[in-house]
Amino acid sequence: MTTAPFRIAFFSAQKYDISAFDSQLPNDITAEYFTQPLNEISVKLAEGFDAVCCFVNDTLNETVINALNEIGIKLVALRCAGFNNVDIPAANHCKMVVVRVPAYSPEAVAEHCLALILTLSRKTHKAYNRVKENNFDLNGLLGFNLHNKTVGVIGLGKIGSAFVKILNGFGANVIYFDPFAESELAKPVSLETLYQQSDIIALHCPLTNDTLHIINEEALEQMKPGVMLVNTSRGALIDTASCIRALKSRKLGYLALDVYEQESELFFKDMSCEIIDDDVFQRLLTFPNVLITGHQGFFTQEAMSEIVATTLDNISAFRLQQPLENQVS
Ligand code: NAI
């Protein structure tokens, strides 16, 4: 007897997702790839499927979860670590299983964080353009050493720990704030001390009710003048308007972002021929000491392979009714 294949609707599917997943799908799983993000409107595309596979900017609020439940979806396979975009109580209420990829490559994000810091401090993005035009003037390119600098890490989980290991190699003095984790890798301090002492502050905590806009006016006021702030975690950890004010007053010396609170309107697509309506984002781009990448911290070959393998393992465990080690609801 042959059983019907398990049908998965992929949302927010990019070319690289399609090529990575398609080559690894087992024979008894079929996939349909939708470029649209999952939301209240696109949810009807999931009709006739057994599961949906989603990414960071797909909307899985109560309305979408209920709509998925009504059309018989029983599994949400997130192909990312963060699940702040999922209404977990709503999923629990309709017994919908949500699985994720908790750690595909903490080093990928940690190394990207370091790339942002070094680019901003050594201004290699500016130097690249200058040399392309035979401009070898060094004025305006003065950087600073990481050696002996105090780096404050907020959230010392998998990515934070990978980041600290790299910084220890640079001879930086690393301090951290994490109410739920302890580590020998760096010195624990209060959030207030971290703000007061750090030359560089890196955010590696998840987005929760407690961490929403953790970097606000009050936090910025406590920081050293000229501090560098790096966010590779989730956009809404930062109150962007406060950061813009701090950049204008020169309190914030450098800002590096791989994530942005309103990124779902912009990131993961080519907007180069579009007019961008987001004035806050456009203002950020005007500062010479702001560096933004479009949520690419995870994007390495190693991390993509791990995302595919773990997502397919999660789906297989669900089908075989085996224990789900990566379940979040
Ligand atoms: P993790 O769960 O291993 O570590 C998070 C740490 O934050 C934990 O130690 C936790 O105790 C701590 N934490 C929780 N609340 C806190 C608070 N109020 N203040 C300080 N620390 C707090 O997670 P992991 O894998 O290290 O990922 C961290 C975040 O990175 C994810 O939540 C996700 O938002 C982001 N991320 C970004 C990626 C990108 O491509 N830019 C890719 C993957 C994850």
Side-chain angles (χ1 to χ4, degrees):
M1 193 181 78
T2 53
T3 50
F6 193 73
R7 301 193 65 211
I8 307 172
F10 279 70
F11 285 87
S12 303
Q14 300 285 343
K15 275 188 204 151
Y16 50 80
D17 292 314
I18 299 171
S19 63
F21 274 93
D22 240 11
S23 58
Q24 301 297 322
L25 283 180
N27 290 337
D28 54 353
I29 293 184
T30 60
E32 186 98 17
Y33 299 97
F34 299 108
T35 53
Q36 296 98 311
L38 178 63
N39 54 35
E40 290 87 347
I41 297 161
S42 63
V43 66
K44 54 183 176 296
L45 293 169
E47 193 145 15
F49 290 88
D50 300 299
V52 291
C53 184
C54 302
F55 198 52
V56 290
N57 291 325
D58 289 312
T59 304
L60 288 133
N61 58 19
E62 191 179 4
T63 311
V64 174
I65 294 277
N66 288 340
L68 288 172
N69 187 43
E70 272 169 32
I71 56 178
I73 299 287
K74 283 285 161 224
L75 174 68
V76 174
L78 297 171
R79 51 182 194 278
C80 54
F83 52 92
N84 53 284
N85 53 335
V86 185
D87 187 330
I88 297 296
N92 283 334
H93 184 72
C94 50
K95 297 193 172 54
M96 188 174 293
V97 173
V98 181
V99 287
R100 66 174 179 142
V101 184
Y104 35 87
S105 176
E107 291 76 20
V109 185
E111 288 174 19
H112 188 70
C113 187
L114 192 83
L116 294 176
I117 291 173
L118 288 178
T119 305
L120 259 189
S121 72
R122 304 308 298 267
K123 304 178 175 61
T124 47
H125 55 317
K126 293 179 187 296
Y128 174 83
N129 287 325
R130 282 193 194 183
V131 172
K132 278 257 183 199
E133 297 198 353
N134 295 333
N135 175 358
F136 307 105
D137 183 8
L138 294 185
N139 285 295
L141 299 185
L142 188 66
F144 63 83
N145 291 0
L146 289 188
H147 184 74
N148 282 342
K149 288 291 176 302
T150 298
V151 182
V153 178
I154 301 180
L156 204 69
K158 292 177 282 297
I159 296 171
S161 300
F163 179 63
V164 171
K165 284 181 197 155
I166 299 172
L167 284 173
N168 285 341
F170 275 78
N173 163 38
V174 190
I175 56 178
Y176 75 92
F177 170 74
D178 189 322
F180 312 109
E182 284 180 23
S183 170
E184 307 274 287
L185 292 170
K187 184 179 160 205
V189 292
S190 67
L191 196 52
E192 194 183 27
T193 304
L194 185 142
Y195 289 149
Q196 287 166 359
Q197 294 187 352
S198 301
D199 300 298
I200 299 172
I201 296 176
L203 299 172
H204 294 299
C205 56
L207 176 61
T208 63
N209 288 340
D210 289 340
T211 60
L212 175 76
H213 289 185
I214 189 169
I215 303 299
N216 53 21
E217 204 93 33
E218 203 188 327
L220 286 157
E221 262 168 31
Q222 297 174 59
M223 294 178 195
K224 278 187 177 179
V227 63
M228 179 189 286
L229 181 64
V230 191
N231 186 11
T232 58
S233 202
R234 284 292 180 267
L237 295 177
I238 283 183
D239 173 27
T240 315
S242 299
C243 285
I244 289 176
R245 281 192 289 277
L247 284 160
K248 287 168 79 174
S249 70
R250 279 65 168 173
K251 174 80 184 219
L252 192 51
Y254 307 82
L255 177 66
L257 303 175
D258 186 48
V259 286
Y260 172 62
E261 188 164 5
Q262 270 73 43
E263 69 177 48
S264 58
E265 304 296 318
L266 302 167
F267 287 5
F268 304 114
K269 42 193 183 251
D270 181 358
M271 304 279 287
S272 56
C273 297
E274 309 288 326
I275 291 175
I276 307 252
D277 292 318
D278 185 335
D279 291 345
V280 174
F281 188 78
Q282 292 302 93
R283 181 67 179 103
L284 279 178
L285 291 180
T286 66
F287 292 99
N289 49 352
V290 173
L291 179 64
I292 306 180
T293 51
H295 207 139
Q296 69 176 80
F298 73 99
F299 199 45
T300 65
Q301 293 167 1
E302 293 79 1
M304 282 303 290
S305 302
E306 200 52 47
I307 286 171
V308 173
T310 307
T311 303
L312 294 178
D313 283 351
N314 287 343
I315 293 167
S316 166
F318 172 82
R319 293 185 69 196
L320 299 171
Q321 296 182 344
Q322 290 170 345
L324 294 167
E325 52 180 300
N326 299 323
Q327 184 169 3
V328 285
S329 86

